[in-house]
Amino acid sequence: MIDDSVFFYGQNMKEKNWFIQELLPGGKMGTETDHGKWGHAYAVQFHYKINHNLYFYGQNIDTNYWFIQRLHDNGTMGDEIQGGFWKYPYGVQFPFKLGQNQYFYGQKISSGYNWFIQQLMDV
């Protein structure tokens, strides 16, 4: 949700393509605002907001690569602003807010069950 607009993000895991489409009142699909194709499929994804800035996070659980991209007010995907490799694939990840701070939780789903909580920063 950006201001008064609501958008839907979808990804085809096999084809590795994605799209963003506006949702209209009454549950109808509006205009596609953006689309593309990832180099890999990202099984773990979420969006989060800090101040008035929206971000998109994804991790490929086969390569452990993760990235953060901006989401623009018009429902389009921005540039990648950060990325790297986690030591493990974290099959459970979600954002949460405490006070004015944004965090996310990650948990490894195979042996060891390592987990972490990390603060997300505004860029």
Side-chain angles (χ1 to χ4, degrees):
M1 187 166 192
I2 303 171
D3 297 323
D4 293 329
S5 299
V6 178
F7 296 93
F8 175 82
Y9 166 85
Q11 176 190 220
N12 181 312
M13 294 293 287
K14 184 177 179 183
E15 305 279 327
K16 302 176 194 130
N17 54 24
W18 59 269
F19 68 94
I20 300 173
Q21 194 162 348
E22 189 170 8
L23 293 177
L24 302 174
K28 296 186 181 200
M29 298 296 277
T31 305
E32 182 179 281
T33 57
D34 204 358
H35 65 274
K37 187 167 183 160
W38 301 120
H40 300 278
Y42 295 96
V44 178
Q45 302 173 28
F46 59 80
H47 75 278
Y48 61 95
K49 185 176 185 178
I50 300 177
N51 298 321
H52 297 289
N53 297 315
L54 268 162
Y55 300 95
F56 182 86
Y57 168 89
Q59 183 195 14
N60 178 288
I61 58 174
D62 294 324
T63 66
N64 299 345
Y65 181 75
W66 63 270
F67 69 93
I68 297 172
Q69 287 190 218
R70 289 189 189 279
L71 287 171
H72 298 295
D73 291 346
N74 62 358
T76 59
M77 190 77 72
D79 293 334
E80 183 175 311
I81 56 174
Q82 193 172 15
F85 290 89
W86 293 121
K87 183 175 181 180
Y88 304 109
Y90 295 99
V92 176
Q93 296 181 56
F94 58 85
F96 63 96
K97 190 172 186 176
L98 291 174
Q100 296 301 313
N101 297 322
Q102 183 75 53
Y103 299 91
F104 84 99
Y105 171 86
Q107 180 178 337
K108 183 179 169 190
I109 55 174
S110 59
S111 65
Y113 301 105
N114 298 357
W115 61 273
F116 67 91
I117 294 174
Q118 187 160 334
Q119 186 172 3
L120 294 164
M121 307 300 289
D122 197 10
V123 179

